[in-house]
Amino acid sequence: MKAGSNLETVLSTGHFAVTAELGPPRGADPSVVEKKADHLRGAVDAVNITDNQSAIVHMSSLACAAILVKRGVEPVMQMTCRDRNRIAIQSDILGASALGIKNVLCISGDHHSLGDQPGAKKVYDIDSTQLVAALKRLRDERCLLGSDEEVAGTVPLYIGAAANPFAIPHELRAQLFKKKAIAGADFAQTQCVFDVAMFADWMEKVRSLGAHASCRILAGVIPLKSFRMARYMAENVPGIVIPDSILKRMEAAPKEKAAAEGIRICCEIIRQVKDIEGVAGIHIMAIEWEHRIPDIVGQAGLLPRPS
Ligand SMILES: Cc1cc2nc3c(=O)[nH]c(=O)nc-3n(C[C@H](O)[C@H](O)[C@H](O)COP(=O)(O)OP(=O)(O)OC[C@H]3O[C@@H](n4cnc5c(N)ncnc54)[C@H](O)[C@@H]3O)c2cc1C
């Protein structure tokens, strides 16, 4: 075992893993995080804490992940390259490890111009693949970037990366994923899947590159809450593809039943991706819907979780 986290145990023992996203609050009240964590306890194997998602300031992922550890719920701390240089990132990782955080997801981060601080200075000192490689070196050789001197103690990390099977250029997506696997990603969580055929096509390319052998893939899913949300995502979020058939189902659902239809579609997608060779789990990104996740996991036939 590399880090001995629950997520690593579930994946390495061949169970189909379930993770879900917890969005930190735009404020300093820890009870908001605790309440969301309590909804997710027992329903998932680990909980991802987003890092200033949409480039909007929220409580830090490090602080939220530490709150979860204290509450007995395993976090996956998300870490973007957008806001910190290599000194700050490595310092936060050492601090996170000291606080008992074992899973880290390395990502670029949404562009700062999209968020609530468009004047912020973007950092991108290292990119997400370099971050994966840096964390692997820190864990396996106990060395920081640019140094051969060992740090004190071990830094047990289970290292994750994001993958987007749907962004352009499509023909490069499997190769870009392979680069992260070679850099040392132990697991990957994908952008949300609505177009299962397109995702299956990407998985086929990933398998032909052998990239799924060392890096376990968790397919991302988002339960749609309304037709408005579905149309907004389809039209405005780059890298998200929603087939017309799903848009039509959401449009046809009466307003008060749209959320239930969104959950039904999400569970259908989970069942379909579960059957694709090389998919090791799912990652549910239910925006401000953490309390609905146990129901989604149950409806998808994925409860109880392995203990
Ligand atoms: C599961 C998941 C969780 C996320 N959580 C957060 C979050 O907490 N906070 C947040 O702000 N954002 C988050 N995002 C958004 C994400 O960081 C952005 O969508 C970002 O644009 C892609 O992140 P990445 O790490 O996959 O990017 P990368 O793989 O680093 O790629 C960034 C961009 O550069 C391109 N690229 C990369 N390498 C090359 C190359 N060699 N040649 C040419 N082009 C290249 C990619 O195609 C992509 O467009 C999340 C996304 C996912 C899928």
Side-chain angles (χ1 to χ4, degrees):
M1 297 289 270
K2 293 166 176 168
S5 69
N6 185 54
L7 180 61
E8 180 182 12
T9 305
V10 168
L11 285 167
S12 60
T13 50
H15 289 96
F16 190 76
V18 180
T19 55
E21 196 171 271
L22 183 157
R26 291 202 75 201
D29 181 357
S31 72
V32 178
V33 183
E34 290 164 354
K35 208 167 147 194
K36 287 183 173 191
D38 290 347
H39 287 306
L40 297 168
R41 186 195 308 282
V44 299
D45 305 315
V47 175
N48 280 60
I49 310 292
T50 52
D51 181 8
N52 295 305
Q53 65 273 27
S54 309
I56 294 173
V57 177
H58 291 81
M59 189 188 289
S60 78
S61 56
L62 174 50
C64 289
I67 292 171
L68 259 66
V69 170
K70 224 168 148 189
R71 207 134 179 110
V73 175
E74 182 170 292
V76 178
M77 184 179 82
Q78 301 196 172
M79 171 72 71
T80 68
C81 303
R82 176 192 58 218
D83 306 324
R84 303 167 190 84
N85 66 14
R86 66 190 77 186
I87 300 173
I89 289 181
Q90 294 181 103
S91 161
D92 278 355
I93 293 292
L94 292 175
S97 188
L99 292 167
I101 295 158
K102 295 178 175 172
N103 310 304
V104 177
L105 185 77
C106 307
I107 42 180
S108 288
D110 290 314
H111 200 270
H112 68 290
S113 61
L114 303 170
D116 64 347
Q117 314 285 326
K121 191 169 186 176
K122 60 181 194 288
V123 182
Y124 302 113
D125 178 25
I126 52 176
D127 68 23
S128 58
T129 307
Q130 289 169 318
L131 177 54
V132 167
L135 298 195
K136 180 175 160 48
R137 182 159 190 260
L138 184 54
R139 178 191 65 203
D140 296 348
E141 298 168 38
R142 291 170 47 193
C143 290
L144 296 164
L145 284 171
S147 164
D148 291 329
E149 201 183 313
E150 280 189 13
V151 299
T154 57
V155 192
L157 296 172
Y158 196 50
I159 305 165
N164 192 339
F166 311 104
I168 45 173
H170 294 138
E171 59 282 5
L172 276 186
R173 303 321 305 183
Q175 284 287 355
L176 289 174
F177 167 70
K178 190 179 177 185
K179 279 177 70 175
K180 294 182 182 186
I182 290 172
D186 302 305
F187 69 99
Q189 292 167 311
T190 77
Q191 186 51 278
C192 54
V193 180
F194 290 105
D195 191 326
V196 177
M198 200 170 174
F199 178 71
D201 186 53
W202 177 77
M203 279 301 303
E204 196 183 325
K205 292 193 177 83
V206 166
R207 286 195 304 273
S208 73
L209 294 171
H212 64 307
S214 61
C215 180
R216 321 254 174 181
I217 297 169
L218 279 69
V221 289
I222 290 187
L224 295 166
K225 295 179 182 177
S226 62
F227 173 60
R228 209 168 138 233
M229 173 185 179
R231 193 176 49 189
Y232 177 83
M233 285 174 66
E235 289 175 359
N236 297 294
V237 184
I240 290 190
V241 177
I242 308 187
D244 280 348
S245 55
I246 290 182
L247 291 172
K248 281 188 184 138
R249 275 178 70 178
M250 290 305 293
E251 191 172 20
K255 225 173 181 177
E256 67 285 0
K257 293 191 176 157
E261 183 67 353
I263 289 179
R264 215 172 356 259
I265 292 169
C266 181
C267 293
E268 287 169 18
I269 293 171
I270 292 172
R271 287 203 188 85
Q272 289 166 19
V273 298
K274 190 168 181 276
D275 285 341
I276 299 173
E277 190 189 339
V279 175
I282 50 147
H283 175 49
I284 309 170
M285 294 169 274
I287 304 147
E288 289 302 319
W289 243 16
E290 286 86 350
H291 60 288
R292 304 297 293 265
I293 286 177
D295 187 28
I296 296 170
V297 180
Q299 278 193 46
L302 296 171
L303 285 179
R305 301 307 310 143
S307 56

